[in-house]
Amino acid sequence: MSEQLLEKIKRLKDERRAVILAHNYQPGEIQDLADFTGDSLGLSIKAAETDAEVIVFCGVQFMAETAAILSPEKTVLLPDKFAGCPLADMITAEQLDKLKREHPDALVVCYVNSSAEVKAESDYCCTSANAVEVVNSLPKDKRIIFVPDQHLGRFVVEKTGRNLVLWPGYCVTHVVITEEDTKNTKARYPDAIVMAHAECTEPVKELSDEILSTSQMLHYAKKSTAKQFIIATETGIIHTLKKQNPDAEFIAASDRAICPNMKRISLEKVVWSLEDMQYKVTVPDKVRTKAKKALDRMVEILPAE
Ligand code: SF4
């Protein structure tokens, strides 16, 4: 059955001149069929560099929006229209606007996990991999508003010593990884290196050896001589970690760390997406131009990972 679906996807992909992107948290079979796997910004940058006419983004809404911001001439499809991101939805452009009025002199740094409208209201965008560098590059006398993830924000505060205005957003998938989960997993695998995402809560990060973005985790595991890793992030990444490092063992800090939105994408939905050219994700020009400025300013500070 899945062989037939894969054949169909391949045929449709050629017909549509499409490129398929899969985020590191996607189901394994989706990561396996994709042209590129990676994090949301890296994928959007790669897709923009191709001459494909269509981008099928196997991920969530804000990721497809980011691809649309960087590739306005391409058609961007999200195979499931309800694949959203609760973290990105935790702040609206109106709420950010209100916060900006409370801190009129502040610069706004928004995590890439945010809507196009929120990006458009921000001065700089950042990823979890470069948030510290982006904030460090800003004038020391400037107040900085950081949205929407409070846990990534606290990590940046700790690393930069800057006093950021944080928004109380959080990733529902990362906060389910508890301190107890991490302690218990460490007790079972005392020699394992613990890699945690910055979206995890502070006690989990304190128990970790490395705080890394998903791309950095993949990179770290490839270079490391260690043979056991505890992974404190969405469990989908373990599929690629295992594939790339067949001799190493990867253990989820918590089996509950599964993002239901990421798992909405299936082989069937990718077929339907290409067949019916659905669901198109567009960003109005006015919003797109402003949001792109925030992304460009980040890239000017440092190249994307
Ligand atoms: S893992 Fe968290 S941040 Fe990523 S899409 Fe799911 S809810 Fe959003």
Side-chain angles (χ1 to χ4, degrees):
M1 175 63 174
S2 63
E3 278 310 311
Q4 284 172 345
L5 291 173
L6 289 170
E7 272 306 309
K8 219 169 176 178
I9 290 169
K10 197 172 170 319
R11 180 175 53 76
L12 286 163
K13 201 178 78 145
D14 291 345
E15 278 172 27
R16 298 289 193 198
R17 293 182 43 77
V19 64
I20 301 181
L21 312 179
H23 188 271
N24 292 320
Y25 297 160
Q26 282 290 294
E29 58 188 4
I30 302 292
Q31 295 193 47
D32 289 345
L33 74 85
D35 295 296
F36 299 110
T37 55
D39 58 44
S40 63
L41 184 67
L43 287 173
S44 297
I45 291 172
K46 274 192 188 137
E49 287 164 359
T50 70
D51 57 5
E53 288 170 14
V54 174
I55 297 172
V56 180
F57 210 128
C58 300
V60 296
Q61 176 77 22
F62 80 81
M63 300 180 179
E65 284 181 0
T66 306
I69 291 166
L70 297 187
S71 297
E73 73 297 345
K74 299 190 200 317
T75 302
V76 180
L77 304 175
L78 184 63
D80 185 306
K81 70 172 166 184
F82 298 112
C85 169
L87 167 60
D89 292 343
M90 281 180 195
I91 187 163
T92 62
E94 291 71 31
Q95 287 171 313
L96 177 54
D97 191 50
K98 185 167 177 281
L99 193 61
K100 281 165 69 172
R101 276 185 273 120
E102 286 165 20
H103 303 277
D105 297 327
L107 289 170
V108 180
V109 177
C110 77
Y111 185 27
V112 70
N113 297 27
S114 54
S115 68
E117 287 79 11
V118 165
K119 288 186 180 74
E121 287 302 316
S122 302
D123 298 296
Y124 293 84
C125 199
C126 73
T127 66
S128 62
N130 64 30
V132 169
E133 285 81 359
V134 168
V135 168
N136 260 337
S137 75
L138 303 179
K140 296 278 175 273
D141 58 337
K142 272 283 182 191
R143 195 138 176 81
I144 298 167
I145 295 172
F146 188 91
V147 297
D149 189 277
Q150 60 176 299
H151 299 294
L152 174 60
R154 290 209 192 97
F155 174 67
V156 176
V157 169
E158 190 197 311
K159 293 287 166 196
T160 62
R162 304 280 297 255
N163 182 18
L164 309 182
V165 178
L166 299 179
W167 185 257
Y170 57 90
C171 164
V172 289
T173 300
H174 282 87
V175 300
V176 303
I177 306 170
T178 61
E179 182 180 3
E180 202 187 351
D181 289 330
T182 316
K183 275 187 182 156
N184 289 343
T185 320
K186 277 180 77 150
R188 282 192 289 128
Y189 299 91
D191 299 329
I193 304 261
V194 184
M195 299 199 274
H197 195 280
E199 286 171 27
C200 289
T201 60
E202 286 60 53
V204 170
K205 283 186 288 211
E206 269 161 37
L207 288 166
S208 305
D209 299 298
E210 302 290 338
I211 297 163
L212 303 168
S213 70
T214 54
S215 304
Q216 289 171 329
M217 284 184 192
L218 292 167
H219 190 67
Y220 185 95
K222 260 190 196 166
K223 284 182 51 186
S224 173
T225 52
K227 289 290 167 230
Q228 276 187 337
F229 299 87
I230 294 169
I231 307 299
T233 190
E234 213 277 353
T235 58
I237 195 172
I238 293 179
H239 176 80
T240 302
L241 282 166
K242 279 185 176 161
K243 226 165 96 174
Q244 293 181 350
N245 308 279
D247 296 335
E249 198 179 352
F250 298 92
I251 306 107
S254 165
D255 290 330
R256 297 186 310 281
I258 296 171
C259 174
N261 285 284
M262 283 285 180
K263 304 304 194 243
R264 293 186 79 97
I265 312 293
S266 63
L267 291 179
E268 286 84 352
K269 286 180 188 171
V270 176
V271 172
W272 298 331
S273 179
L274 283 161
E275 269 177 350
D276 301 335
M277 293 294 280
Q278 66 186 17
Y279 295 89
K280 288 195 178 88
V281 174
T282 54
V283 177
D285 256 353
K286 217 171 121 196
V287 175
R288 193 189 76 79
T289 326
K290 287 175 75 184
K292 185 159 183 308
K293 270 196 191 134
L295 285 163
D296 287 346
R297 284 194 199 110
M298 169 189 73
V299 176
E300 274 164 28
I301 297 170
L302 67 171
E305 355 103 70

